[in-house]
Every structure is written in C-alpha cells, then in structure tokens.
Amino acid sequence: MSSNTVRSPVKSSSKSPAYLMFGLVASGILLLVCLMFSILLGAAEIDSGTVWQAIFQFNGSTEHLIIRTVRLPRAILAVVVGAALAVAGTITQGITRNPLAAPDILGINVGAALAMVLAILIWGSGGNYIGFAFAGAAIAAVVVYWLGSMGRSGLTPLKLIIAGSALTYLLDSFIYAILILSQRTLDDIRFWLGGSLAGRDVETLLAVLPYISIGLVGALALAPQLTLLSLGEDVAQGLGLRTGWVKLSSAFVVVVLAGSSVALAGPIGFVGLVVPHVVRFGVGVDYRWILPYAMVAGGIILSIADIAARIIVRPQELPVGIMTVLIGAPFFIFLARSRKR
C-alpha cells in the first residue's frame, strides 16, 4: 500500500481547524509587526514616516539607503533564517523521536560552520561557499548517526545527544584552532561565527533563498508522513509508510535548511530546539499544522532576538546568536531536567 493513499489515524489536534487557522493568521500578523519593528529600529534614529517612504517612495537619500540596503534585507533575513532553523529542528525531533534533538545540538550546524571556515581559510571570504556548508552539515549528520548507532543497543535518544555533543565540541575545537593560526580568517568571520545577521545584502540572500525555499517546500510535503512516523515506526510501516525513505528525505531537508542558515547567518543556536516545543504545546501532534506554525514562530523569535541584539548596547550591537543562547539555554536545562524525571 502506498503511503500517499494512507489516511492518518491521528487527529490533527484537539482544537478545530478553524481555530488553528485563526491562530496561524494571528501569528502571521505578529510576524509582520516584528518585521516592521526590525526595519524601524537600529543604530540610527529614523522615524516611521521615513521608513514608509524609503520602502514605497525611494529617493536615494542616506536614510532611505540605510532602510533599503541594510535594515530591510536584514529584517527579511531574520524571518527566513528563523523559519529554516525552526523547521529543521522540528523535523530533527520528529525523525529521531527525541525532544532534545536539534541541528545545533547534534553538531550539524557546527559541521557546516567548520566547512565554511575551511573554505574561507583556503580561498578567502569573497566566495559563495554554500556547497561547503551543505557538505559539512551532511558529513556531521552521518557521523553523529554512526556514533549514536554503535553498541549493542543501537541508536537511542541518549546516545544520539551524547554523540552530537561530543562532535560539536570536537569540531568547535578545530574551528578555534584555525582561527588561532590564521588571523586573517579570524578577522573575516569573527562576528559571523557568533551567529550574526549583520552585513548581509540582498544578493547574498537571493543566492541562498532558492535552497531554503526547496527545504521548506520539501518539509511541508513530508508533513503527513512525519505525522504517521510519530505513531512509532512499526505502526507507520503497518500503515504502508516507507519509513526509510521518509527518514532519508527528512535528513536531506534538514541538511539543506541547516546548511543554508549557517551560510547566511552563522551557527545560530537553540531556535531549532525551542520552537518545536512551543508549537507542539499549542498545536498538537499533526505536522501539517506544526510545520507552518514553526515557520512563523521561528521568524518571530529570531526577529525579536535580532532587535534586542541591536538595541541593548546601541549604537553597537551583539551577535544575534548570543541572544538566542540567553533565551534557549535555560529552556534546554529545563527540558533536560523534565526529560530525566
């Protein structure tokens, strides 16, 4: 029986579809509000009227250039990267059935970051190294899966987290060793390595946007299969789901989204860990709703974190990765303690 012909026995949620649709629209409106505040706030004081004119009646002035070339691309970048990280984390937790899993926890993000650092070390910072980010993310994912599968018990959630943490520390040490030995590489990427949305123009965003779009569309296409997989692998196979194919396709989507995000904004942590739990709490277990909500919620959280990173020490700014750690680390500790109990 083909998985495409199987109707999921899982109810979409205890909440009605109309209620969930209303919540999704309301979340989209909140995302637009965050987008506008991201454009409005920054080191320079620019009033809302000037922002409106810069978007719709551009005249080439300094303030309009700031809005068009700096703040608007950055605001859109926060939404896109936040959505990609949140969806990658949601799928990672779904296919591993591990609530502590996320691309940054399992070493996938740092694998992509190491590949980017190596490319910059060899060829300089002027190139487009998105392919290296994909390769690094894919290799890290395979290594973590292999390490987590070793031993008589096979792959377990605990072993997966331990393997991911160990690989993260190992690859981080390689990155810092490279930065110590190469001052030029350190100067090129020190802010990016902390997770930053600064300095990215429209051309950079457009170069990576097709890959993120493919990843997000692929994730939505896998939503029914992921819902079935959440019932358990034996049950899903009994319903006609080709679980191996679903896991492989999901892993491909995670690698594309994580690699694209790292190439754009560096290794930003905890978005992929926190957002899925927040979304599941309000939505339920149906990935046809979880994934769209995760896209919107990821954009909201990263936009808020980026706004905070810009205004806390204004006129200077912090890497947005620092802000997501401040939000996500306490949540991770709480989640780990709750899981242990």
Side-chain angles (χ1 to χ4, degrees):
M1 183 184 299
S2 171
S3 61
N4 294 329
T5 62
V6 175
R7 291 178 60 86
S8 172
V10 181
K11 293 182 179 179
S12 64
S13 174
S14 59
K15 303 177 178 63
S16 67
Y19 181 89
L20 291 171
M21 181 59 68
F22 174 79
L24 189 59
V25 172
S27 300
I29 294 173
L30 178 59
L31 179 61
L32 291 176
V33 172
C34 293
L35 186 68
M36 291 307 300
F37 272 104
S38 183
I39 298 171
L40 182 62
L41 299 175
E45 295 285 350
I46 301 177
D47 61 84
S48 57
T50 303
V51 171
W52 181 268
Q53 291 176 357
I55 296 175
F56 297 103
Q57 299 175 353
F58 182 71
N59 61 17
S61 65
T62 301
E63 291 182 333
H64 284 202
L65 284 172
I66 291 174
I67 297 299
R68 279 288 191 96
T69 63
V70 178
R71 293 191 185 178
L72 181 59
R74 180 169 181 166
I76 297 173
L77 183 65
V79 173
V80 171
V81 172
L85 290 172
V87 170
T90 302
I91 294 179
T92 302
Q93 292 177 12
I95 61 176
T96 62
R97 304 187 68 192
N98 186 343
L100 300 178
D104 50 308
I105 303 297
L106 298 183
I108 297 174
N109 284 3
V110 73
L114 176 59
M116 293 278 290
V117 169
L118 288 172
I120 293 171
L121 173 67
I122 298 172
W123 293 289
S125 60
N128 181 4
Y129 303 125
I130 180 67
F132 286 88
F134 292 153
I139 293 171
V142 171
V143 171
V144 168
Y145 183 86
W146 174 67
L147 291 174
S149 301
M150 295 176 66
R152 294 181 179 178
S153 59
L155 185 67
T156 64
L158 179 59
K159 288 168 63 178
L160 193 66
I161 294 299
I162 293 175
S165 300
L167 184 66
T168 297
Y169 284 117
L170 177 64
L171 299 185
D172 265 334
S173 68
F174 290 159
I175 290 174
Y176 289 119
I178 293 171
L179 298 182
I180 290 172
L181 296 174
S182 175
Q183 182 66 39
R184 176 183 61 82
T185 306
L186 174 62
D187 293 339
D188 287 341
I189 66 169
R190 77 172 84 193
F191 211 70
W192 169 87
L193 199 58
S196 175
L197 302 173
R200 299 295 182 269
D201 53 21
V202 176
E203 288 73 19
T204 303
L205 176 60
L206 292 178
V208 181
L209 189 59
Y211 302 103
I212 292 182
S213 300
I214 291 171
L216 294 178
V217 171
L220 293 176
L222 288 167
Q225 287 79 13
L226 290 171
T227 302
L228 285 178
L229 192 61
S230 68
L231 298 173
E233 192 159 344
D234 292 337
V235 175
Q237 288 176 346
L239 292 169
L241 186 69
R242 294 185 293 174
T243 56
W245 170 251
V246 172
K247 289 182 178 180
L248 184 61
S249 301
S250 299
F252 172 78
V253 168
V254 169
V255 166
V256 170
L257 292 175
S260 300
S261 300
V262 171
L264 278 173
I268 297 175
F270 289 104
V271 175
L273 174 69
V274 173
V275 171
H277 292 279
V278 174
V279 169
R280 287 193 189 96
F281 178 77
V283 173
V285 297
D286 192 337
Y287 280 82
R288 292 173 296 180
W289 289 104
I290 290 174
L291 290 174
Y293 267 89
M295 290 181 191
V296 177
I300 291 172
I301 288 179
L302 196 59
S303 294
I304 293 174
D306 186 48
I307 292 170
R310 280 185 280 169
I311 65 176
I312 286 180
V313 293
R314 192 163 58 176
Q316 296 179 334
E317 66 175 74
L318 298 171
V320 69
I322 293 178
M323 303 307 301
T324 59
V325 168
L326 292 177
I327 296 171
F331 184 87
F332 179 77
I333 294 171
F334 167 78
L335 188 62
R337 290 176 61 87
S338 300
R339 185 66 175 174
K340 183 178 179 180
R341 290 197 294 268

